[in-house]
Amino acid sequence: QVKLVESGGGSVPSGGSLKLSCEASTPRYYSMGWFREAPGKGREGIVGIDASGNTHYTRSQKGRFSVSRDKAKNTLYLQMNSLLPEDTAMYYCAAWPGSHLLVSSPSNVGEFGAWGQGTQVTVSS
């Protein structure tokens, strides 16, 4: 099973930017994506990307967040701009077999998918 390691989280003021990275242990090209879990809320999908580079953003973050994937480095990225306090959350990378559209629900990662350990993003007002 693929292992995922996130990095790049931190604390920034409102309006700031961060770039998250997720390195995968295997070049097996699952669909991959980013999720987040804010305090007191459930985990939600942000964006999924397949091996061909097709992307699906679940919410309006598309204008502020941008996903990319470097196959040569087995690494997934999430560029986050114009961050808001409501973006404060633990951000998770995941990989799963099947369509990148399955990012719509964290339960779709399933028993054959994998999660990273998470990286904290805190945005102050």
Side-chain angles (χ1 to χ4, degrees):
Q1 188 179 39
V2 63
K3 293 185 179 179
L4 306 170
V5 179
E6 300 102 330
S7 61
S11 297
V12 295
S14 183
S17 298
L18 283 172
K19 186 173 184 178
L20 307 182
S21 299
C22 172
E23 184 173 359
S25 62
T26 172
R28 183 171 182 178
Y29 298 127
Y30 291 88
S31 287
M32 297 183 71
W34 290 97
F35 296 75
R36 70 183 184 184
E37 188 168 340
K41 297 184 178 180
R43 192 170 299 187
E44 61 176 5
I46 301 171
V47 58
I49 183 169
D50 67 13
S52 298
N54 298 303
T55 61
H56 173 67
Y57 293 83
T58 63
R59 291 174 174 264
S60 60
Q61 290 94 346
K62 182 178 182 179
R64 300 186 295 122
F65 293 5
S66 178
V67 69
S68 60
R69 187 171 184 174
D70 188 330
K71 290 183 178 180
K73 295 182 178 180
N74 300 330
T75 301
L76 181 73
Y77 302 98
L78 183 68
Q79 176 68 49
M80 303 186 295
N81 299 323
S82 302
L83 284 162
L84 303 169
E86 48 263 46
D87 293 318
T88 294
M90 186 70 80
Y91 284 70
Y92 296 91
C93 170
W96 62 91
S99 171
H100 63 297
L101 299 176
L102 295 175
V103 71
S104 59
S105 173
S107 64
N108 291 333
V109 173
E111 62 179 313
F112 298 110
W115 292 95
Q117 82 286 355
T119 185
Q120 178 68 38
V121 171
T122 302
V123 185
S124 57
S125 58

